[in-house]
């Protein structure tokens, strides 16, 4: 079962991998590693695949006749929802277009008004609810208000607080109406948050997370949507801040760094703001909001929102500074707060750019025909030697020369050729232009509180730039630059670190392949920009923490998942491999990822070897496919199911590096990120493709999608109770992780069966059934099927409300076996 360490080194050598001397510095904690594994979803998914014939029959059995009452509700929503577009979406679009024109200079600056009215609209709150309810941790409870504050609340404030103080379970349209009314009046009762401390990945430190009450999160999401409509054009115009913004990711930040904007830059200031969220002065943030918003009720509303309190193990606290890390709108508010830093760095009048412009004005810029004199002299000398070499080449062709003379000429030619080679090597190491005549340039990129400043200035100037940024942060924004984490790095000698990447710039004297205008060719390192690699120390720390390898990167088995089914183990490792390559593959070189996939694959082999009390060679013999190809050699497990006499097969392959890499590259993310970056550089604002999972005001067709989502979100609140059919006092019952439970485990819980089949986490329940049936029994009371109309669910559309918008031609709504990646057994081909 144990693999020899020597064979591992030989395998790495065959893959032409360098063995970096890396060691994970943090100790391994088995308890934390088990929590991070989280294989319940994969196990339930496998059991459902195994039971797919039974589940398909259940869908037909539980598919019930259409109920006229539900049909009438859905028809009314269809007519009202698509007759005209959403009022909230129209206002949001109008605000965005106005600020877009201001940012592009085609419209004079004016402040935005009537913000609070837009936030308080029920449509805005319902869309915010649609986004927040599916977040991880949506059901996590907050803390209680202090008795003193609670007693000061009015009757309506107490009613709303009592119904929404914990989690989304039990929400009704009455709660949204009440929230809308209280927000508009500026009397919304902000709740008390709960603060917990989570481990930082790859670090012994912890970070605080503040968990607000659920309805507070909904209101914060509504605030964030409106703020995005106002400030996104400003961020788009500068195009240097990429964290926690719609349509942006770490890939956008790295694309900016790896673009030609970074060519020739060799010093990096890695910036980090100490405390970040907890150190934001509230008065300065409010003044930032007031620069673009003329709405006193909204600013007063935000003042109350920022005056938050939280409870932790040490008691109740109300901080005088800071915004809560964990609030839905906190990251975007922090971006707005640091927008002045982005402007200061690029300001040509009073900012850092003005200092660089003054320094550049003193430089005598060389003309386009100018070349560095030592290099020019050497080039001329080389050309003279080349002419002598050409003369000797012609002279040796003389048939009258003796053998002795020919040998002398050949020796002379050899010396000249060697001399030219040495001169070529020296010229590659020489700069093209006089270093003192080069213009100073820089590239600044920020991702939330992490930023990097790249420049071609010397170390003394970089110290000055760092001091200027530090003073601006402290004096203008009340932020402190972390001296420990803010370091200046010569990336020709040592890597800078940013967002999980190592950034380097090759020294002169190397010729590398670069891409330009979709063409690939060799060029001197002087013309090559910054190159990114995966942050090796960070990756090995995380792999060691999750149990995939030893501290030195040697693969090992994960014993606590060795008792799972083989497909579950394979899918678990495949998910980690896909996640890593989807993040890195389009930004780094292919060879820099091979080692990490190798560790994961051999960890999987060793886990399976432990499962079967065998060796890796025997695992290959039992499950191996494509054994004759080193590129595609892997293992496969077949799952067979029979439905109506037809046998289907689902194949589980452990991903090879080549297959996973090709899948990651096939997404085409690299080209789209470049296109987006350069379109922003040329002045484009907005105009993104619609993301249906997270629609933002900057995307096309937002109006139509907003209306459709609002319709889907509102419709369930008008549905009858799923249990008794009552149309009165209907509210939403929320559960967590329905897909982490196998279907057979829910057979005595009929409403959970439907939620599992329809992949829903919320269902409409009347208040009586919610309290007396569901929560009173805690899912272990009498069978709910006995309380239903005719012992069946009378219309599955109560749960699957969007089926009337996208109707299926089938009797029940389900994917085909082929869509679920099953193949008929008689159609399966040879292993590949």
């Amino acid at each position: 079962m144990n693999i020899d360490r020597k064979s591992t080194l030989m395998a790495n050598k065959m893959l032409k991998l360098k063995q970096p001397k890396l060691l994970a510095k943090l100790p391994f904690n088995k308890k934390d590693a088990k929590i991070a594994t989280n294989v319940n979803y994969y196990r339930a998914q496998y059991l459902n695949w195994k039971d797919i014939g039974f589940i398909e029959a259940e869908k037909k059995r539980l598919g019930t006749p259409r109920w006229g009452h539900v049909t009438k509700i859905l028809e009314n929503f269809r007519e009202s929802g698509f007759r005209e577009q959403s009022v909230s979406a129209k206002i949001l679009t109008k605000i965005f277009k106005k600020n877009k024109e201001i940012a592009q200079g085609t419209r004079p600056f004016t402040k935005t008004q009537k913000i609070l009215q837009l936030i308080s609209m029920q449509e805005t709150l319902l869309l915010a609810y649609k986004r927040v309810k599916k977040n991880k941790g949506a059901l996590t409870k907050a803390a209680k208000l202090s008795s003193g504050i609670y007693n000061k609340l009015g009757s309506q404030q107490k009613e709303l607080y009592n119904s929404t103080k914990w989690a989304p379970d039990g929400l009704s349209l009455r709660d949204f109406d009440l929230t809308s009314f209280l927000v508009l009046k500026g009397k919304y009762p902000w709740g008390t948050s709960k603060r917990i401390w989570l481990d930082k990945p790859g670090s012994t430190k912890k970070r605080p997370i503040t968990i607000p009450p659920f309805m507070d999160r909904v209101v914060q999401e509504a605030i964030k949507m409106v703020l995005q409509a106002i400030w996104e054009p400003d961020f788009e115009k500068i195009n240097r801040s990429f964290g926690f913004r719609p349509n942006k990711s770490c890939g956008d930040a790295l694309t900016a760094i790896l673009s030609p904007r970074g060519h020739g830059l060799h010093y990096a200031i890695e910036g980090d703001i100490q405390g970040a969220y907890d150190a934001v002065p509230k008065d300065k943030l409010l003044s930032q909001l007031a620069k673009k918003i003329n709405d006193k009720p909204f600013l007063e509303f935000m003042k109350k929102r920022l005056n938050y309190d939280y409870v932790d193990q040490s008691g109740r606290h109300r901080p005088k500074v800071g915004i809560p890390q964990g609030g839905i709108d906190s990251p975007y508010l922090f971006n707005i707060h640091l927008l002045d830093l982005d402007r200061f760095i690029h300001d040509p009048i009073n900012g850092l750019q003005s200092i660089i412009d003054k320094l550049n004005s003193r430089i005598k810029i060389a003309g386009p025909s100018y070349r560095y004199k030592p290099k020019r002299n050497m080039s001329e000398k080389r050309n003279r030697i080349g002419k002598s070499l050409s003369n000797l080449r012609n002279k040796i062709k003389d048939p009258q020369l003796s053998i002795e003379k020919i040998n002398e000429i050949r020796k002379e030619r050899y010396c000249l050729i060697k001399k030219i080679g040495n001169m070529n090597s020296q010229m590659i190491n020489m700069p093209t232009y006089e270093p003192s005549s080069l213009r100073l340039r820089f590239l600044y990129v920020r991702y939330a509180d992490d930023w990097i400043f790249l420049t071609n200035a010397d170390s003394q100037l970089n110290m000055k730039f760092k001091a200027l940024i530090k003073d601006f942060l402290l004096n203008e924004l009340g932020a402190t630059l972390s001296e420990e984490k803010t370091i200046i790095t010569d990336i020709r000698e040592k890597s800078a670190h940013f967002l999980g990447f190592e950034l380097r710039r090759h020294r002169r004297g190397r010729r590398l392949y670069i891409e330009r205008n979709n063409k690939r060719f060799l060029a001197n390192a002087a013309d090559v920009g910054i190159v990114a690699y995966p942050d090796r120390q960070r990756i090995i720390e995380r792999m060691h923490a999750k149990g995939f390898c030893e501290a030195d990167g040697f693969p090992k088995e994960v014993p606590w998942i060795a008792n799972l089914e083989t497909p579950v183990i394979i899918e678990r490792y495949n998910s980690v491999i896909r996640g890593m390559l989807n993040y890195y593959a389009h930004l780094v070189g292919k060879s820099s990822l091979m080692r990490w996939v190798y560790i994961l694959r051999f960890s999987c082999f060793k886990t399976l070897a432990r499962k079967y009390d065998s060796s890796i060679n025997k695992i290959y013999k039992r499950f191996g496919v494509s054994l004759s190809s080193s590129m595609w050699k892997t293992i496969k497990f077949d799952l067979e199911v029979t439905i109506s006499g037809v046998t289907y097969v689902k194949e589980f392959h452990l991903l090879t590096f080549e297959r996973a890499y090709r899948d990651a590259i096939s997404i085409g993310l690299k080209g789209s990120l470049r296109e987006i970056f350069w379109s922003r550089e040329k002045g484009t604002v907005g105009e993104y493709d619609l993301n249906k999972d997270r629609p933002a005001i900057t995307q096309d067709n937002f109006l139509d999608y907003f209306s459709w989502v609002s319709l889907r979100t509102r419709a369930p609140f008008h549905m009858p109770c799923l249990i008794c059919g009552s149309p009165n006092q209907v509210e939403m019952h929320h559960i967590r992780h329905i897909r982490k439970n196998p279907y057979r485990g829910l057979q005595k819980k009929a409403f959970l069966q439907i939620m599992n089949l329809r992949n829903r986490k919320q269902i409409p329940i009347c208040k009586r059934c919610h309290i007396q049936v569901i929560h009173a029994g805690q899912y272990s009371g009498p069978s709910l099927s006995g309380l239903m109309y005719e012992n069946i669910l009378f219309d599955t559309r109560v749960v699957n409300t969007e089926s009337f918008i996208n109707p299926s031609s089938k009797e029940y709504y389900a994917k085909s076996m082929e869509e679920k990646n099953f193949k008929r057994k008689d159609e399966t081909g040879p292993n590949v």
Side-chain angles (χ1 to χ4, degrees):
M1 183 175 72
N2 294 325
I3 183 170
D4 186 45
R5 187 177 294 268
K6 185 181 290 185
S7 65
T8 302
L9 298 176
M10 290 178 64
N12 284 344
K13 191 173 182 180
M14 290 174 63
L15 291 171
K16 298 181 181 180
L17 297 175
K18 294 181 180 179
Q19 292 292 326
K21 295 180 181 179
L22 288 174
L23 284 175
K25 300 176 182 178
L26 298 179
F28 172 70
N29 187 310
K30 186 176 180 179
K31 181 180 178 181
D32 293 341
K34 281 186 174 181
I35 295 173
T37 304
N38 194 15
V39 295
N40 289 337
Y41 170 78
Y42 301 98
R43 175 185 281 156
Q45 190 178 45
Y46 170 73
L47 293 176
N48 286 339
W49 281 331
K50 202 172 180 180
D51 273 348
I52 195 165
F54 171 72
I55 293 174
E56 292 296 307
E58 284 286 280
K59 288 180 179 178
K60 293 181 180 180
R61 183 180 71 84
L62 293 173
T64 57
R66 299 295 176 96
W67 187 25
H69 178 56
V70 175
T71 301
K72 185 177 179 180
I73 292 173
L74 294 178
E75 285 179 351
N76 288 339
F77 270 99
R78 184 194 291 116
E79 292 174 3
S80 62
F82 292 98
R83 188 164 43 226
E84 59 184 26
Q85 291 174 327
S86 164
V87 175
S88 297
K90 285 182 177 179
I91 298 174
L92 275 172
T93 305
K94 185 177 179 180
I95 291 173
F96 175 76
K97 288 183 177 179
K98 168 196 164 184
N99 285 279
K100 173 181 175 180
E101 292 170 359
I102 293 173
Q104 292 176 329
T106 59
R107 180 173 183 163
F109 173 77
T110 55
K111 294 185 178 182
T112 306
Q113 300 178 346
K114 299 182 179 180
I115 301 298
L116 195 60
Q117 182 179 349
L118 175 59
I119 293 171
S120 68
M121 288 184 177
Q122 192 190 74
E123 283 180 313
T124 309
L125 294 173
L126 283 171
L127 180 59
Y129 166 71
K130 170 70 178 177
R131 292 180 172 181
V132 172
K133 71 178 182 180
K134 59 184 180 182
N135 285 352
K136 184 178 180 180
L139 298 183
T140 306
K141 295 181 179 180
K144 291 183 179 181
L145 275 177
S146 65
S147 57
I149 296 178
Y150 179 79
N151 292 332
K152 294 179 181 179
L153 298 178
S155 58
Q156 292 176 318
Q157 292 173 315
K158 286 182 179 178
E159 179 186 350
L160 178 63
Y161 172 75
N162 290 332
S163 63
T164 64
K165 65 181 179 181
W166 295 120
D169 192 43
L171 279 181
S172 66
L173 280 180
R174 165 67 179 170
D175 296 320
F176 285 95
D177 291 336
L178 206 52
T179 301
S180 176
F181 172 77
L182 292 173
V183 168
L184 186 60
K185 296 295 183 181
K187 296 182 179 180
Y188 177 78
W190 292 101
T192 297
S193 302
K194 178 174 70 174
R195 174 165 285 192
I196 59 176
W197 295 82
L198 300 179
D199 294 327
K200 281 187 176 182
S203 173
T204 56
K205 297 181 180 179
K206 294 181 178 290
R207 58 189 177 96
I209 296 295
T210 307
I211 304 170
F214 182 79
M215 189 54 80
D216 284 16
R217 291 178 237 174
V218 173
V219 177
Q220 290 169 10
E221 178 68 30
I223 291 171
K224 186 180 77 172
M225 286 192 295
V226 176
L227 294 180
Q228 285 175 349
I230 299 172
W231 265 274
E232 269 306 294
D234 291 335
F235 288 118
E236 292 269 275
K237 187 71 176 176
I238 298 175
N239 197 32
R240 291 296 182 270
S241 172
F242 302 97
F244 301 102
R245 286 181 49 211
N247 316 303
K248 299 298 176 186
S249 65
C250 296
D252 292 277
L254 265 293
T255 299
I257 293 173
L258 302 180
S259 71
R261 293 276 189 253
H263 283 196
L265 308 182
H266 48 260
Y267 269 99
I269 304 176
E270 304 169 49
D272 185 85
I273 298 174
Q274 190 173 337
Y277 289 74
D278 291 335
V280 175
K282 298 178 182 181
D283 56 340
K284 289 184 180 292
L285 178 56
L286 288 171
S287 64
Q288 286 275 41
L289 296 176
K291 289 179 181 179
K292 298 200 70 176
I293 295 175
N294 182 19
D295 187 352
K296 289 184 179 179
F298 171 75
L299 296 175
E300 285 295 321
F301 182 74
M302 288 302 298
K303 186 175 181 180
K304 294 178 182 177
R305 181 263 176 276
L306 294 175
N307 187 29
Y308 71 100
D309 66 330
Y310 66 86
V311 173
D312 61 9
Q313 294 178 348
S314 61
R316 190 178 297 270
H317 308 273
R318 190 176 293 276
K320 295 181 180 179
V321 296
I323 52 180
Q325 187 169 353
I328 301 295
D329 57 346
S330 295
Y332 206 79
L333 286 170
F334 187 77
N335 271 337
I336 294 173
H337 179 61
L338 284 190
L339 181 59
D340 275 356
L341 173 63
D342 306 342
R343 288 172 172 157
F344 165 74
I345 289 176
H346 295 93
D347 187 356
I349 300 176
N350 299 313
L352 204 59
Q353 180 69 62
S354 65
I355 297 173
I356 291 177
D357 290 342
K358 288 178 183 178
L359 293 173
N360 282 335
S361 66
R362 301 172 188 171
I363 296 175
K364 183 180 179 181
I365 305 299
S369 61
Y370 173 81
R371 296 177 64 192
Y372 186 45
K373 190 172 181 180
K375 189 168 187 175
R376 182 181 60 188
N377 293 340
M378 187 169 287
S379 177
E380 293 173 353
K381 186 177 180 180
R382 184 191 61 179
N383 292 339
R384 288 195 296 269
I385 295 174
K387 289 180 181 179
S388 301
L389 187 62
S390 179
N391 293 334
L392 289 175
R393 188 183 298 113
N394 294 329
K395 190 175 182 179
I396 203 172
K397 295 178 182 179
D398 189 351
Q400 298 180 359
L401 291 178
S402 63
I403 299 298
E404 292 79 7
K405 190 65 174 176
I406 290 175
N407 288 336
E408 288 179 9
I409 295 174
R410 283 177 176 172
K411 287 181 181 179
E412 188 176 354
R413 283 186 63 203
Y414 174 78
C415 292
L416 292 178
I417 291 172
K418 190 174 180 180
K419 196 170 185 178
I420 288 176
N422 291 334
M423 294 175 72
N424 284 336
S425 299
Q426 293 178 40
M427 288 176 65
I428 289 176
N429 287 322
M430 289 182 177
T432 305
Y433 297 103
E434 176 68 40
S436 61
S437 69
L438 291 177
R439 294 181 66 90
L440 294 178
R441 297 187 301 108
F442 72 89
L443 175 63
Y444 160 84
V445 174
R446 180 172 65 83
Y447 194 93
D449 59 324
D450 293 325
W451 53 269
I452 189 165
F453 185 88
L454 298 152
T455 177
N456 60 346
D458 57 29
S459 58
Q460 290 183 343
L461 275 176
N462 279 293
M463 291 292 291
K464 181 178 180 180
F465 295 153
K466 176 183 172 182
L468 289 171
I469 295 173
K470 178 182 178 180
D471 292 342
F472 178 84
L473 284 170
L474 184 62
N475 299 330
E476 301 298 327
L477 301 180
T480 304
L481 202 63
S482 172
E483 290 290 343
E484 178 184 354
K485 295 182 180 179
T486 304
I487 57 178
I488 300 174
T489 306
D490 185 346
I491 59 177
R492 297 168 297 183
E493 303 287 347
K494 186 180 177 182
S495 297
H497 298 82
F498 189 62
L499 301 180
F501 291 85
E502 294 181 15
L503 304 175
R504 306 178 207 163
R505 182 177 179 271
H506 291 296
R507 298 182 64 84
R508 297 180 188 277
R510 296 191 60 181
R511 291 175 65 81
L512 301 173
Y513 280 103
I514 67 170
E515 292 184 15
R516 186 179 296 164
N517 299 328
N518 297 324
K519 293 183 179 180
R520 184 176 169 88
F521 57 91
L522 277 170
N524 290 343
D527 193 34
V528 173
I530 296 167
V531 184
Y533 299 89
D535 190 333
R536 297 169 298 163
Q537 187 65 44
R538 176 174 173 174
I539 293 177
I540 203 169
E541 292 284 4
R542 296 192 176 191
M543 283 194 172
H544 176 58
K546 293 181 180 180
F548 295 129
C549 65
E550 303 286 356
D552 61 353
F554 187 72
K556 69 176 185 178
E557 70 274 11
V558 182
W560 55 89
I561 67 172
N563 62 336
L564 300 176
E565 297 83 357
T566 301
V568 178
I569 296 173
I570 293 175
E571 283 298 295
R572 169 61 187 163
Y573 278 94
N574 281 347
S575 68
V576 179
I577 293 172
R578 286 192 195 99
M580 174 177 289
L581 292 190
N582 287 343
Y583 184 76
Y584 285 111
H586 60 284
L587 294 167
V588 303
K590 184 177 180 180
S591 61
S592 63
L593 295 169
M594 288 182 176
R595 181 188 181 191
W596 312 115
V597 176
Y598 166 82
I599 291 173
L600 292 170
R601 279 172 51 82
F602 267 80
S603 176
C604 181
F605 293 147
K606 297 182 81 171
T607 302
L608 290 172
R610 175 164 181 150
K611 174 180 176 63
Y612 291 100
D613 193 17
S614 181
S615 66
I616 292 179
N617 287 335
K618 290 181 180 179
I619 291 296
Y620 266 125
K621 288 180 180 179
R622 182 171 180 177
F623 299 109
V625 292
S626 303
L627 299 181
S628 60
S629 170
S630 60
M631 183 181 295
W632 303 104
K633 180 180 178 181
T634 188
I635 56 174
K636 184 189 76 166
F637 182 89
D638 290 342
L639 171 66
E640 293 187 4
V641 296
T642 301
I643 301 176
S644 302
V646 180
T647 301
Y648 294 90
V649 178
K650 186 176 180 67
E651 299 175 346
F652 296 85
H653 290 83
L654 178 64
L655 286 172
T656 63
F657 173 79
E658 193 67 29
R659 175 64 183 274
Y661 184 80
R662 291 185 183 184
D663 289 346
I665 292 298
S666 66
I667 300 173
L669 190 60
K670 184 175 183 179
S672 62
L673 291 178
R674 283 180 180 173
E675 183 179 344
I676 290 172
F677 174 75
W678 286 110
S679 67
R680 308 304 117 177
E681 292 291 281
K682 295 175 182 177
T684 303
V685 175
E687 301 178 16
Y688 294 92
D689 294 333
L690 182 66
N691 180 353
K692 292 185 178 181
D693 293 329
R694 288 280 176 177
I697 190 62
T698 56
Q699 295 167 336
D700 293 341
N701 302 322
F702 176 74
L703 284 171
D704 296 332
Y705 194 75
F706 190 112
S707 178
W708 182 70
V709 170
S710 179
L711 169 68
R712 278 186 57 190
T713 309
R714 189 186 295 108
F717 288 101
H718 290 266
M719 289 292 172
C721 173
L722 183 68
I723 295 178
C724 68
S726 171
N728 302 319
Q729 292 185 308
V730 173
E731 54 192 32
M732 300 305 294
H733 171 61
H734 289 243
I735 63 170
R736 68 175 78 211
H737 307 314
I738 188 66
R739 301 298 280 184
K740 291 188 177 181
N741 299 301
Y743 181 77
R744 282 191 183 271
L746 305 173
Q747 283 184 305
K748 293 185 179 181
K749 303 163 186 176
F751 76 99
L752 288 179
Q753 286 181 313
I754 291 295
M755 295 178 78
N756 183 282
L757 292 175
R758 304 298 177 188
N759 193 19
R760 293 291 174 270
K761 294 195 293 184
Q762 302 89 27
I763 55 172
I765 298 288
C766 72
K767 195 165 188 175
R768 175 185 168 277
C769 290
H770 202 180
I771 297 173
Q772 298 182 8
V773 177
I774 295 181
H775 285 299
Q778 292 297 315
Y779 308 132
S780 60
S783 174
L784 296 181
S785 61
L787 299 170
M788 296 180 187
Y789 177 71
E790 294 183 357
N791 293 332
I792 59 173
L793 294 172
F794 32 76
D795 198 327
T796 55
R797 292 176 300 171
V798 172
V799 176
N800 200 26
T801 53
E802 72 273 23
S803 63
F804 79 98
I805 298 175
N806 297 315
S808 171
S809 58
K810 297 184 178 182
E811 179 183 353
Y812 60 98
Y813 305 99
K815 292 182 178 179
S816 66
M817 295 297 290
E818 289 74 14
E819 291 173 325
K820 295 177 180 178
N821 295 322
F822 280 86
K823 300 177 182 177
R824 291 174 66 103
K825 189 174 182 179
D826 54 359
E827 295 177 356
T828 55
N831 292 330
V832 292

